[in-house]
Amino acid sequence: MTTTAPLYGWYGDDFTGATDTLAVLAQAGLRSMLFMGVPSAEALAAAGPLDAVGIAGAARAMPPEAMRAEMSAVGRFFEKLAPPVLHYKVCSTFDSAPHVGNIACGIQTLHPFVSNRWVPIVGGQPSLGRYCAFSNLFAAAGTGGAVHRIDRHPTMRQHPVTPMGEADLRLHLARQGLDGITALHYPLYDSPDALYAALEALLAHGAASHAMAPTLLDLTTPGQLATVGRLLWQQSQHARLLAVGSSAVAQALVAHWGKPASTAAAPLAPADGPVLAWAGSLSPLTAAQVQAATAYHRIAVDAQRLCSDTAYAQGLQDAICAGLQSGQNVLAFTGPTDGAPLAAAASSTDVAQASAHLIARVVQARAERGAPLRRIGIAGGDTSSHAVQALQLWGLSYKTTVCPGVTLSSAQSADPSRHGLELMLKGGQMGGTDLFERLLGTA
């Protein structure tokens, strides 16, 4: 275990978002490592001195009981590590529901492991086209797309698992069981004295009960990040703090510390050998990215057969390996590219797990041929999470940024053929249409 407490700890409720926070912190010059689960003392020692320690999880796709089991272990770890700020990193669109990815459940599980009553919930991330004004969340449709209130967003309002039917995040989280949510709206940010007085008044209310005090913070412009960060950091110096939100929590603290992007993202070098990409996301944006990936040999995957037919899965593995062996970049995809609903009856979890195991088998097959893959891209939060686990990686460090919200990480593994593997993990809503082309490093 590290001898001094890091400045920052974070738990990502999926792997793709956890790497985005990793990028923010690493670009600010903080020594950062993202672990694939609660790290052992040996893994912490192998990582060396760290300013920021992250744990990638899968709570976003879990029911509450499973969330509590996973996140209690995370909380105990960070209680011992004792960073001033523990960040519960959730998706920037806050899509969640009482029965799956319940953010209120996550807050209630982690909060006993810090000592500050106040729980700030940062509601926007302007760098990704996410804006929170008067507690209502707005999001762009794709990179640079039109901005919609989240309950009218063309994708998020009809998300297949966690559709967003409420834009006021106070109401959205209250429906998941988070009581007593207050708010500090952005007009207050223009007057620090008024902002601090408003916070003190909120904290004074109910102080005798020692109850948790969740407060939603607006975020509409990059210029507000330092104000939010100052508020978080000042409170964390009184008592260790649980902060909730997207990577904007890290951005806010970095802005307050005066360290924004002190380490510029390195240009993405051309890949060393053929690239394997897998698109497991069903979002319209990922479908457009697959269609635009003309530099790849594209293979459509029957998701139902992948889960149920071992001969089909083996044939698919052979086809992918043959393409890579011939020097082609290969992109396999399980979702439709025409916006149509997925026809397969397999559950999304089953498809993600089957996809992850196939990716791991391809990686192993290439290593056994003496030509290990050096760069992989995966689209889809569940697929990314399962793939990292199937690859048996113990950590990820920051390599560079492919585009806003999409990070290229360097894998940490006990297996020499996988150590240093460049890995891009991205959610369905992230990246421009040329993302897979960018991954090649030739754009």
Side-chain angles (χ1 to χ4, degrees), residues 417-435:
S417 70
R418 300 180 188 185
H419 189 77
L421 171 68
E422 296 175 346
L423 192 59
M424 181 197 80
L425 308 175
K426 81 121 193 153
Q429 297 303 306
M430 297 300 169
T433 55
D434 64 344
L435 177 68

Side-chain angles (χ1 to χ4, degrees), residues 327-346:
Q328 292 179 300
N329 305 306
V330 177
L331 169 56
F333 57 97
T334 57
T337 58
D338 58 2
L342 184 66

Side-chain angles (χ1 to χ4, degrees), residues 300-313:
V301 177
D302 184 320
Q304 177 67 28
R305 293 185 67 190
L306 175 63
C307 294
S308 60
D309 187 336
T310 56
Y312 174 78

